[in-house]
Structures are given as C-alpha cells and as structure tokens.
Amino acid sequence: MTHAPAMTIDSIKRSLVGLRMPRALEVLDATLRRIEQGETDGIGALDQILLEELTLRENRRVKTALSMARLPAIKSLQGFDFAFQPSLDRNRILALAELKFIDRAEVVHLLGPPGTGKSHLATALAVEAVKAGRSVTFATLADLIASLAKAERDGTLRERIRYLCRASLLVVDEIGYLPVVPGGGNLFFQLVNARYEKSAMILTSNRGFAEWGEVFGDPVVATALLDRLLHHAVVVQIEGASYRLRQHADLVPEHVRSKALITPPPAPKRRGRPPGKATSDHDNG
Ligand code: ADP
Ligand code: MG
C-alpha cells in the first residue's frame, strides 16, 4: 500500500475546513489508516467520508426542523403498539406516513377518546414529514387561537396567518378538550380558509363533528369550518381503550370506559370531487 504524501493530506484537511466539513475532517485519519491496511480502497474511502458528513448534516437539519416545528415530544410509528389499538388500520397509518396527503393538501382527522394515541400518531407523522424535508408547525387548538387573538390585538393578524400558511403541514392538536374562547372559532376559520386546498393539516379531536358547534361555541362557524375541513379529508377513527390507563383499566368506572365520545357525521356534501377516489374520505379505519 502506498502512503499518501503528508502535503496532500494537509491540503485535503485545509479543503475540508474551508468547505466546513467537520465530520469528514474528523474521520479522515482513521479512513486513511484503513486504506493503508488494505481494508478499503480510494473510492470506498471517499464514499465513506462523504456519507459521514452527509449523515451529520442530515441529523442536524432534522434536529433544527423538529425544534422549529415545536413538537411536544418526539414520537415514532415504530414506537406505536398497533396491537393495543385493534380498531386502527395499521396499513392506513403507514400509507399516511408516505406523506402523499401533504402533496394533495388533504386534511387528516384523528378522532377518538383520550389516551388512544391521537397526539402520538399526529406527532409521528409530523416527524416523518420533517425527515422528508417538509416544513411542519404543531400547536394545540387553544395555543393556535391564543396566538391568532394576540396577532389580531396587535394588528398583525394577516402576517400571522401568512406565517401559519407557510408550513406544508399544520398539526392542530386537542380540538374539543377546552372550550374555544369567544371569537376564536372565527380566527381559526380564517386560518383554515387561507390554507384550504393549498396545504395539508392533521387535526386531532376527542369530539365528534356533530359536537363542533358546541366546541366552537358557534354552529355557523362550526359548519363553515367543517365544510372546508371535510372536503379532501381522511378520517381515522380510533375506538379503543386509553393507553395511559392500560395498567389500571379495572379501576376506571365502566361508564367512563365505554362512553361513546365520537358520533360520526352524516357524509358531507362534496364539491367537484370524482366519486370513488381511494385513500380519502370517511372510510373509517
Ligand atoms: P391522545 O392524544 O389520544 O389523548 P396520546 O397520543 O397522547 O393520546 O397517548 C397518550 C400516551 O400513551 C402517550 O405517551 C403515547 O405515546 C402513548 N400511547 C398511546 N397509544 C399508544 C400505543 N398504541 N402504543 C404506544 N404508545 C401509545
Ligand atoms: Mg392528545
């Protein structure tokens, strides 16, 4: 095996510093030793050094994008126990993870009682989107409305809505847990309308669509919201036990355990939609 001249190695190192390739610089010496010991050849070494650098950059990009998305926690689909939630069609969730719903600017509704994994799945899909290089924003409905209300008070509502339209995926978690403040439904509607047919959303709720009038404190706003949010929609309904309470299920009163929180809506009227398109609509999984 020939030894690379020290001058050339110094030159490579200076180039790596100039190109800001810290990981490649870090593994260079070890890689050269592997060439000397006949464990790899020049091409193999080049490939490995570049892959190391690329992996570092990719990890950094994902880390930054995940923190910018403001996810409450990092969750994965691998970490989701589908066996615990038999009403949920695993393949349907895995199909969503291919992210075509983002390209189609669809709205994914994850419905079910507390603890059934709605936020987990929404977060895991958001993580997949970030990894795939899509921009994501995650917020609870209450926080989202609070931020819109503040922007309205500050006279910056248009800018705030424009900002919230930039993400290719907006996740709105916890629709229905807290009553929406007066005027909140209207603000949310303005955002939904601005994103309508342009960019995708994932919504999670413990309440059926029939209860949205109550949730938003205004049946007219709720109807207008559902009109947008059920057009090009994927509805995933989870009807199972709470994962949080799984070890203590016997302590939970029967009327709480079995309370049917979800009332599926009558099929909404759709506009300009060819019938029989797969993957979408209310084929509850
Ligand atoms: P929800 O939003 O429906 O109230 P979460 O998604 O917050 O429920 O789930 C509650 C907790 O239980 C979270 O820590 C979540 O990661 C976990 N969890 C829920 N369902 C599952 C599951 N099927 N497999 C693994 N962990 C789960
Ligand atoms: Mg939740």
Side-chain angles (χ1 to χ4, degrees):
M1 273 293 121
T2 52
H3 289 242
M7 256 173 61
T8 310
I9 294 173
D10 279 349
S11 167
I12 292 174
K13 287 184 176 173
R14 275 195 304 278
S15 296
L16 292 178
V17 171
L19 288 165
R20 294 188 175 74
M21 295 174 70
R23 182 64 190 155
L25 186 64
E26 212 170 80
V27 298
L28 180 67
D29 286 335
T31 311
L32 291 173
R33 268 198 304 279
R34 294 184 56 231
I35 297 179
E36 283 164 15
Q37 286 159 11
E39 289 170 21
T40 185
D41 58 9
I43 291 287
L46 190 58
D47 184 37
Q48 202 198 339
I49 286 176
L50 292 177
L51 270 179
E52 287 276 348
E53 184 64 36
L54 190 65
T55 307
L56 175 86
R57 288 191 189 189
E58 191 52 18
N59 290 345
R60 269 196 203 148
R61 179 191 69 74
V62 169
K63 202 171 158 216
T64 307
L66 285 176
S67 79
M68 276 170 55
R70 297 174 164 273
L71 300 179
I74 300 301
K75 299 281 179 181
S76 68
L77 290 177
Q78 292 79 2
F80 192 83
D81 180 4
F82 285 91
F84 184 81
Q85 220 51 266
S87 75
L88 191 63
D89 182 348
R90 184 169 186 267
N91 288 333
R92 219 168 155 221
I93 301 299
L94 296 184
L96 287 172
E98 287 170 18
L99 307 175
K100 293 196 189 86
F101 76 95
I102 296 183
D103 303 321
R104 292 195 288 249
E106 289 178 340
V107 179
V108 176
H109 296 264
L110 301 175
L111 305 181
T116 48
K118 303 180 299 295
S119 300
H120 184 129
L121 292 171
T123 310
L125 289 170
V127 169
E128 291 301 318
V130 164
K131 283 188 186 160
R134 319 305 292 263
S135 53
V136 176
T137 298
F138 189 110
T140 62
L141 179 66
D143 286 349
L144 194 63
I145 287 178
S147 87
L148 290 168
K150 180 177 185 302
E152 190 180 39
R153 285 195 300 276
D154 296 346
T156 56
L157 184 59
R158 276 174 62 123
E159 288 77 6
R160 183 72 198 153
I161 288 178
R162 210 176 298 144
Y163 170 79
L164 288 166
C165 283
R166 285 217 297 260
S168 41
L169 173 63
L170 175 67
V171 183
V172 183
D173 198 17
E174 298 188 354
I175 295 176
Y177 282 111
L178 298 171
V180 168
V181 295
N186 197 304
L187 290 169
F188 183 52
F189 174 77
Q190 291 184 53
L191 172 63
V192 166
N193 206 30
R195 289 183 66 94
Y196 176 60
E197 292 192 327
K198 291 196 205 79
S199 34
M201 298 175 74
I202 298 177
L203 309 180
T204 82
S205 182
N206 64 325
R207 307 279 289 267
F209 298 123
E211 297 173 80
W212 275 37
E214 205 183 301
V215 169
F216 286 91
D218 183 337
V220 176
V221 168
T223 304
L225 272 170
L226 287 172
D227 185 59
R228 270 58 166 191
L229 293 173
L230 290 176
H231 188 206
H232 316 301
V234 179
V235 179
V236 177
Q237 200 152 328
I238 315 173
E239 281 156 82
S242 168
Y243 194 83
R244 292 190 188 100
L245 301 177
R246 68 196 182 286
Q247 277 135 3
H248 310 289
D250 50 331
L251 303 178
V252 181
E254 179 60 31
H255 73 279
V256 174
R257 251 188 283 166
S258 62
K259 193 172 171 198
L261 288 162
I262 302 301
T263 332
K269 276 208 210 117
R270 260 169 255 133
R271 294 161 300 192
R273 192 76 197 289
K277 197 177 164 198
T279 75
S280 278
D281 293 341
H282 310 272
D283 49 332
N284 299 340

